[in-house]
Amino acid sequence: MQNPPSQPTGSVTPSKVIHMRNVGPEISQNDLLQTCQPFGMVSQLILLRSKNQALLQFQELTSAIQMMQYHQNQQVNIRGRNIYMQFSSHQELTTTQQPSDGQTPTSRILLVTIQNPLYPITVDVLSQVFSPFETDPRGTVEKIVIFTKQAGLQALVQYSNPMAAAHAKGALDGKNIYANCCTLQIQFSNLTELTVRENSEKSRDFTNPTLPVSRAPPPMYGQLAPTQQMMGQPGQFPYGADKSCLIVSGLAERMDCDRLFNLFSNYGNITRIKLLHNKSGVSLVQMGDNMQANMAMSYLKSLRLFDSPIDINYSRYSTISPPGVNSDGRTKDYTNSPLNRFTRQDSKNFRHISPPTAVLHVSNLAPTTAIEAVNAHLGQHAPVVASRMFTETQGQRKQALVQFATVEQAAEVICLLHNSPLEGQNIRLAFSKNSI
């Protein structure tokens, strides 16, 4: 049982800084921002992971007061966890109040990770995104550098002062550059000054136009520009060939190769999956290409499955060897599996890629199957909250939307029951963007 707050809201002087407790590891920075930003602009956010706590500072005192008053009678609950809040004894966050992960709240340089970058990300693109936060007195964007690391595509954005950086971070963290892709994850950098040696599509010093200009072609992360390209269409990607293999940890005992396939195949074709012998709960998943691997990692990282949050990173291995005679089912090859969803470049599945949701799309149903049968079949694992049957306009094929109480339950149903038989048909399950 979770303990109530140690002191009531009004027992300390109101402050722009809110102290949050019971912030579990499954709760992200973006989760907290989405809870707080409706009340006003957030200038700083520090996650204290070792203590399951957070410190969040609003730009205006009135914003902090409004949020505390609103939640006096309405418990904050994020990802199933009650969050307890109170005014901090600090009126401002200072450089001595730094989180253990090395973020520096007063830095003027932002470290930006771009997840699921389906379209070209250049200096000009990032300049358009981050420049609206440079108006006086907040400062200007001085330098931008784009690079790739183990975490994926990243950039450093330097402002002329920390206030502009804090404003941009609070407004843009968790937002998409383009619809449903190119998601920004932003933290403060430890650096004090960026070094730019040339002005190009990947680096720019806006304060020094005399630097050498590179004429190298811009990086291509998708085949066409956003106005020309269907959302989600695969193309080239800046990572090397070794970035198509992922290492997945935190898996429950009941997860096997096929169940991992059922989940990860929502975001790309699967080549092979291997359950590691010497590491319990750890598996390698090789995707069809590096764009699909990045998409799977972006959407599934920290997802809870069977009461265990999974973690996903790029593997140091570039490929998984084909299963041998004595693989005991711990390595499986899915290269030619008819269940891979993206074997055709024009597949409509690209248009329907969705992050994990509590609503599942059910297809490949028999013409005579009723919604009651669908509910009973999927309800074997978790109770169905709502559902509806519909018919596809073209082809007149019956389909259904089925909603569960949580995203975790829906993901588990996909793992367990995707491609399972129902009234003579093997049904197909996928996360749905639609509501019931």
Side-chain angles (χ1 to χ4, degrees):
M1 179 180 296
Q2 297 167 338
N3 296 323
S6 58
Q7 54 185 339
T9 300
S11 62
V12 294
T13 303
S15 166
K16 291 190 292 185
V17 181
I18 303 298
H19 178 213
M20 300 181 174
R21 295 188 292 114
N22 201 35
V23 181
E26 73 277 12
I27 297 175
S28 68
Q29 186 180 68
N30 191 41
D31 291 330
L32 296 177
L33 286 173
Q34 288 180 350
T35 299
C36 300
Q37 283 180 335
F39 299 93
M41 184 65 68
V42 176
S43 60
Q44 296 187 41
L45 174 59
I46 301 176
L47 289 175
L48 306 171
R49 288 299 191 192
S50 61
K51 299 180 180 180
N52 281 354
Q53 297 179 13
L55 291 170
L56 180 143
Q57 179 175 316
F58 284 99
Q59 282 195 339
E60 303 292 339
L61 177 62
T62 54
S63 299
I65 294 174
Q66 288 173 1
M67 187 177 78
M68 293 300 294
Q69 289 177 341
Y70 178 81
H71 287 297
Q72 276 185 318
N73 300 315
Q74 183 165 333
Q75 175 66 55
V76 178
N77 187 284
I78 303 176
R79 297 186 181 271
R81 183 185 286 261
N82 288 339
I83 306 299
Y84 301 116
M85 303 187 304
Q86 62 190 44
F87 288 118
S88 171
S89 58
H90 302 282
Q91 292 297 309
E92 298 273 351
L93 292 177
T94 66
T95 55
T96 59
Q97 298 156 346
Q98 296 182 13
S100 57
D101 60 4
Q103 295 181 11
T104 308
T106 56
S107 172
R108 63 184 179 135
I109 301 177
L110 300 177
L111 173 61
V112 183
T113 301
I114 300 100
Q115 295 189 329
N116 192 18
L118 298 186
Y119 300 123
I121 301 299
T122 65
V123 165
D124 289 334
V125 170
L126 293 183
S127 177
Q128 291 180 44
V129 172
F130 285 88
S131 290
F133 304 94
E134 66 179 15
T135 55
D136 186 69
R138 297 188 177 98
T140 58
V141 174
E142 292 184 337
K143 301 175 183 179
I144 297 177
V145 177
I146 301 173
F147 55 95
T148 57
K149 290 288 187 179
Q150 186 71 13
L153 179 65
Q154 294 184 303
L156 289 165
V157 180
Q158 176 176 314
Y159 283 88
S160 58
N161 64 63
M163 183 182 294
H167 186 202
K169 180 179 181 295
L172 294 174
D173 191 24
K175 299 298 192 299
N176 297 328
I177 297 178
Y178 303 115
N180 301 319
C181 67
C182 302
T183 305
L184 301 174
Q185 288 195 342
I186 305 174
Q187 61 191 47
F188 291 101
S189 170
N190 294 330
L191 299 175
T192 57
E193 183 73 29
L194 291 184
T195 300
V196 177
R197 294 182 173 86
E198 64 177 18
N199 288 329
S200 68
E201 295 288 344
K202 299 180 71 174
S203 64
R204 191 79 51 83
D205 185 344
F206 296 96
T207 68
N208 187 3
T210 63
L211 283 177
V213 177
S214 171
R215 299 300 180 186
M220 292 299 293
Y221 307 107
Q223 291 179 329
L224 301 173
T227 56
Q228 300 170 302
Q229 183 182 18
M230 180 195 307
M231 298 303 294
Q233 183 175 344
Q236 299 175 350
F237 206 67
Y239 311 130
D242 61 338
K243 297 300 183 182
S244 62
C245 193
L246 302 173
I247 184 166
V248 186
S249 57
L251 295 170
E253 288 185 5
R254 63 195 305 181
M255 289 297 290
D256 58 19
C257 290
D258 287 340
R259 289 171 179 174
L260 278 169
F261 174 89
N262 292 346
L263 179 65
F264 277 77
S265 63
N266 279 269
Y267 303 106
N269 296 325
I270 308 297
T271 303
R272 298 184 187 99
I273 295 177
K274 178 177 182 177
L275 303 177
L276 299 187
H277 285 272
N278 57 344
K279 294 183 179 180
S280 177
V282 180
S283 174
L284 296 178
V285 178
Q286 183 180 343
M287 307 290 291
D289 60 38
N290 30 36
M291 184 276 288
Q292 296 173 11
N294 181 262
M295 189 180 303
M297 182 170 69
S298 299
Y299 283 143
L300 297 177
K301 196 177 182 73
S302 301
L303 176 71
R304 290 183 65 85
L305 287 173
F306 307 107
D307 297 322
S308 177
I310 64 175
D311 190 30
I312 308 174
N313 291 286
Y314 293 114
S315 171
R316 61 188 177 93
Y317 299 102
S318 58
T319 60
I320 299 173
S321 299
V325 177
N326 299 317
S327 68
D328 299 326
R330 297 185 68 87
T331 302
K332 292 191 115 179
D333 194 311
Y334 297 94
T335 305
N336 299 315
S337 172
L339 296 177
N340 273 320
R341 307 172 194 243
F342 307 96
T343 53
R344 289 181 19 228
Q345 291 291 317
D346 60 346
S347 173
K348 65 180 181 181
N349 290 327
F350 288 116
R351 301 195 299 270
H352 300 301
I353 291 176
S354 167
T357 66
V359 179
L360 298 185
H361 176 259
V362 188
S363 59
N364 204 42
L365 293 168
T368 57
T369 299
I371 191 63
E372 291 77 12
V374 175
N375 292 344
H377 183 69
L378 299 187
Q380 297 175 65
H381 176 70
V384 173
V385 173
S387 63
R388 66 179 174 91
M389 188 85 77
F390 62 96
T391 303
E392 188 184 41
T393 304
Q394 296 179 349
Q396 299 299 305
R397 290 179 293 186
K398 296 180 71 173
Q399 302 180 39
L401 293 176
V402 178
Q403 181 176 342
F404 296 88
T406 66
V407 173
E408 181 178 351
Q409 290 177 351
E412 291 167 359
V413 169
I414 283 185
C415 293
L416 297 172
L417 297 175
H418 175 63
N419 195 43
S420 60
L422 174 62
E423 298 186 356
Q425 294 283 104
N426 281 15
I427 62 171
R428 305 286 189 262
L429 301 177
F431 295 113
S432 175
K433 302 176 184 177
N434 299 318
S435 57
I436 298 178

